[in-house]
Every structure is written in structure tokens, then in C-alpha cells.
Amino acid sequence: MGAMLTKLNCCKNCRKSNKVHPTRRSTDFVLGEPSRQEDRTSIDIIKDLTETGFITQKSGGVKFSVDLFHTRNNIQYDREEKDLMTEIRRNGALAEKGNTARKSEERRKEVIARRDAIIKRKIRKTEEKLRKDAERTEQMKKGNQNAEIIEKSEDVTAVGDDLPIKYGYFNESERIELLQAARDMFHFGYDNYMKYAYPEDELDPIDCEGRGHDHDNPSNININDALGDYMLSLVDTLDTLAIMGNSTEFKNAVQIVIDNLVFKSNTVQVFEVTIRMLGALLSAHLIITDPEQPFGNMSIPGYDNELLTLANDLGTRLLPAFENTKTGIPYPRVCIISLVCLRQIMHKSKQIATEMVSTVL
């Protein structure tokens, strides 16, 4: 007769005597008939079921569930039944292992697919880059690039510098042509300034006339920050004339500046005056006095450091912007009033103060 063993979990008294105690709870040992006391000890039953491989020890008791045959008083296992139980157990373990292996294989295939997608994407990008480089090289060859220049560039690209291929370059005739175009453009602006705007600071391109400090509107910082009635464009282009190699005009412009530059009492921006006026005066001075003369003969006979003197004068006028500031940061604007005028104002103020004190006394 078949029976179902459901759960075995003895009480305290049973554990002491190693007996299965019949109860009405779910821990009863059911044999298809009213509960009764088993002749064997619980240890023997557990050992017997463990040998078949069908029990699992977990917290809360021993759990198992098997169909078996029995005699009137003792449980007995058929040999064939034991073999079937072992086979079922083995097949279950293999099935579980196979399921894990299948999931692992699926995961492996997924990772391989992702890797292949990344590699394909990189290959596409590389192919696209090579294609564009080939097109660019072909365009360069069609752009009047002779074989000699290409051979010269190979020496550069051999060490990993691909700038000529990547950005292109000019052959000698094109370089000379564009160099002359730059000179022509500069002289066009310079000549028209000298013709229509000098001695103002700059040329107004709309009205084609000179423009300087806006005395009528002192708050017009768009104009007044840079323009201070000190021939800004002429001074600012002194070093450019030298770099362009125009020695004659450079010497002429320097003499004009020495003879006519005067700093007036205008409020200007410290930054603009420093880089455009002070920097230009110092640069022109260095070009004149440079013993190597890298831009050609720019030396001026009888030059007595006049530009350096003007630079020192201007720098002295800018110093108040750096002195006695509350934050230690220079003021953005300063009035470059002349030192002579400043002494006159201070002397006049002292006279007025003296007369006021005398009147009171």
C-alpha cells in the first residue's frame, strides 16, 4: 500500500528517546492510516532516507516527500524503487545544471554580439576616416601641388606629423602671392588713415574721416576707452610697418610720432592704452635699437631713445590706476593728464587755499 511521508520534526520528549511521536499536526508520519508510533528511531529513518538521496536538511526540520511501499509494521524499500529514485534525482540535478549552462551560453552569446557590434562600429569609423583622408589627398594633388612638395612633405609625415595632409599647405608661388596680398591690404588701410584721418586716432570707415576722443559724450566708453587723441593708429602700426619690411615708411612714421605725440587730459581704459600705445612704443624702440636688425635696416641715425622716453611718460601717467586701490586691483580707467598740467593745477589750488586762509584770518 502506498504512503506519503510529509515532514518529520520531533518534539522535545521524542528527541530525548529518539522516537517518532504521533501527533495530529503536520509533522505526523502518515501511512495512509490513522497516526501510529513508528518502531524505528528517527535517526534510523533519517539515515535510511539519506541513503536514497531524497532528503534535504534545512532549518526548521527535515523535509522530504516520497512514495513507498510498506508492510504491516515496518517500512521497506523495493530495490527497483531505490534505483528509480536515484535516477530521478540524478536527472533533476542534470536538468538544473543544463538550465544554468543554457543561461550562461545565452549570456556569452549576448556579450559576443555586443563586442562584435563595437568592433564593427570602430571599423566603420576607421574606414570613413581613411576615405576622407584619401579624398583630401586627391583634392590636394588636383590643387596645383607638384611632386616636389609632396616628396618634401613625406619627410615630415614620416615622423608622425600629418598636418600637411590634414590641413593642406601653399606652394611657393601661392605663398608669395598671398604674402603680397596681405601687404597690399595693410597698406590700403594705412595709406587711407594717413590721408583722411591723421592725426586723429582712427579712420571712420563710414564717413571716411578721422575720429578721436568723444569730448561731447564722456560716457561713450565704446569710443573713449581706446581713443585718447594720441594718434593711436599711427603708433599702433609702427611695428607692423617694420615687419612688412617697409623701412622708409617706418622711419618716417617714427619721426612723426617723435615730433607730434602729446598726451592730453583724457580718461582712457588702462588695458587698451597699455597693449596698443605703451606696447607699440616699446616694440618700435626695440626694433630700432636691435643690433641684428631682423626686418631689414630699421635703425634711425641720430635716434636718442625718444620712443622709450614717451613710453616712460605714458607708463608714469598710468601708475595712479595701480596705486592706493581699496581692493588691490587696478582701476579700469585713468585720466592721463600731463604732469606739467597737473603741477599747474596743484600750484593753483595751493594759491587759492592760501588766499582763503588769509581772508579768514
Side-chain angles (χ1 to χ4, degrees):
M1 180 178 181
M4 177 67 71
L5 304 181
T6 56
K7 186 174 182 182
L8 181 64
N9 192 4
C10 302
C11 63
K12 293 181 180 180
N13 295 329
C14 293
R15 285 198 293 271
K16 291 180 180 179
S17 60
N18 286 331
K19 294 289 184 178
V20 177
H21 182 69
T23 66
R24 295 182 180 179
R25 298 177 300 167
S26 61
T27 54
D28 290 350
F29 190 66
V30 183
L31 297 175
E33 60 187 66
S35 298
R36 61 177 179 76
Q37 182 173 347
E38 170 60 43
D39 293 337
R40 295 179 300 161
T41 64
S42 59
I43 293 178
D44 292 338
I45 295 175
I46 292 173
K47 183 178 180 181
D48 191 13
L49 295 177
T50 302
E51 290 177 354
T52 65
F54 280 85
I55 73 168
T56 303
Q57 296 187 9
K58 295 183 179 180
S59 59
V62 180
K63 298 180 180 180
F64 52 89
S65 179
V66 297
D67 287 327
L68 44 86
F69 295 92
H70 65 88
T71 58
R72 181 176 181 182
N73 294 319
N74 298 314
I75 298 177
Q76 295 181 350
Y77 295 99
D78 185 277
R79 179 65 182 175
E80 183 180 359
E81 184 181 19
K82 288 183 179 181
D83 294 341
L84 290 174
M85 290 179 178
T86 303
E87 185 65 22
I88 293 172
R89 178 81 173 192
R90 184 183 298 109
N91 290 334
L94 292 174
E96 183 177 355
K97 183 177 180 181
N99 186 43
T100 303
R102 184 173 62 257
K103 291 182 179 180
S104 298
E105 179 64 18
E106 291 175 355
R107 175 62 180 167
R108 188 181 72 86
K109 290 180 179 179
E110 179 183 348
V111 173
I112 291 175
R114 289 175 57 189
R115 180 204 63 188
D116 292 345
I118 292 173
I119 293 175
K120 290 179 180 179
R121 187 162 57 249
K122 289 184 177 180
I123 291 174
R124 285 196 299 270
K125 288 183 178 180
T126 303
E127 291 176 346
E128 182 67 16
K129 183 178 182 301
L130 292 174
R131 184 185 64 79
K132 290 182 179 180
D133 289 344
E135 291 178 355
R136 192 179 295 111
T137 303
E138 186 64 25
Q139 291 174 359
M140 289 170 53
K141 290 180 180 179
K142 292 179 180 179
N144 298 327
Q145 301 297 338
N146 55 42
E148 266 179 42
I149 297 180
I150 294 177
E151 289 177 2
K152 291 180 181 179
S153 68
E154 289 177 357
D155 296 334
V156 179
T157 57
V159 293
D161 189 351
D162 62 346
L163 292 180
I165 294 178
K166 191 172 183 180
Y167 298 104
Y169 49 88
F170 301 111
N171 58 36
E172 187 63 17
S173 61
E174 288 176 331
R175 188 186 71 82
I176 295 175
E177 179 182 351
L178 293 173
L179 184 63
Q180 186 59 45
R183 283 198 181 96
D184 294 341
M185 186 178 296
F186 165 76
H187 284 293
F188 174 80
Y190 175 79
D191 293 341
N192 281 280
Y193 163 76
M194 294 300 294
K195 181 178 181 180
Y196 296 104
Y198 174 81
E200 299 291 342
D201 287 315
E202 65 181 14
L203 173 65
D204 184 345
I206 304 299
D207 299 326
C208 198
E209 61 182 18
R211 179 168 59 190
H213 199 81
D214 188 354
H215 297 277
D216 296 331
N217 184 14
S219 62
N220 185 8
I221 59 176
N222 184 49
I223 296 295
N224 293 338
D225 270 357
L227 310 186
D229 296 332
Y230 35 42
M231 302 183 296
L232 175 62
S233 292
L234 179 61
V235 177
D236 199 11
T237 56
L238 290 177
D239 51 357
T240 307
L241 285 167
I243 294 173
M244 292 291 181
N246 193 339
S247 175
T248 302
E249 189 58 33
F250 171 75
K251 295 175 182 179
N252 179 55
V254 169
Q255 194 60 49
I256 293 175
V257 171
I258 292 174
D259 295 339
N260 298 282
L261 179 59
V262 176
F263 299 112
K264 301 178 181 180
S265 57
N266 293 322
T267 300
V268 293
Q269 190 185 80
V270 176
F271 173 77
E272 287 288 342
V273 177
T274 300
I275 65 172
R276 299 184 66 180
M277 288 293 296
L278 187 60
L281 291 171
L282 293 174
S283 297
H285 168 74
L286 293 174
I287 290 173
I288 295 171
T289 58
D290 189 347
E292 296 184 0
Q293 292 294 306
F295 306 113
N297 183 16
M298 300 295 167
S299 61
I300 300 177
Y303 175 72
D304 192 23
N305 298 329
E306 289 91 346
L307 296 183
L308 183 61
T309 301
L310 288 170
N312 180 71
D313 183 13
L314 179 58
T316 303
R317 296 167 187 270
L318 297 176
L319 283 179
F322 298 85
E323 297 174 344
N324 301 322
T325 63
K326 295 180 180 180
T327 61
I329 300 174
Y331 293 113
R333 296 173 181 84
V334 65
C335 179
I336 53 172
I337 189 169
S338 67
L339 295 178
V340 175
C341 183
L342 181 60
R343 293 192 188 100
Q344 292 176 350
I345 292 174
M346 292 177 65
H347 180 68
K348 185 67 175 177
S349 299
K350 186 180 292 184
Q351 286 181 341
I352 294 173
T354 303
E355 292 176 358
M356 290 178 63
V357 170
S358 300
T359 302
V360 172
L361 294 176

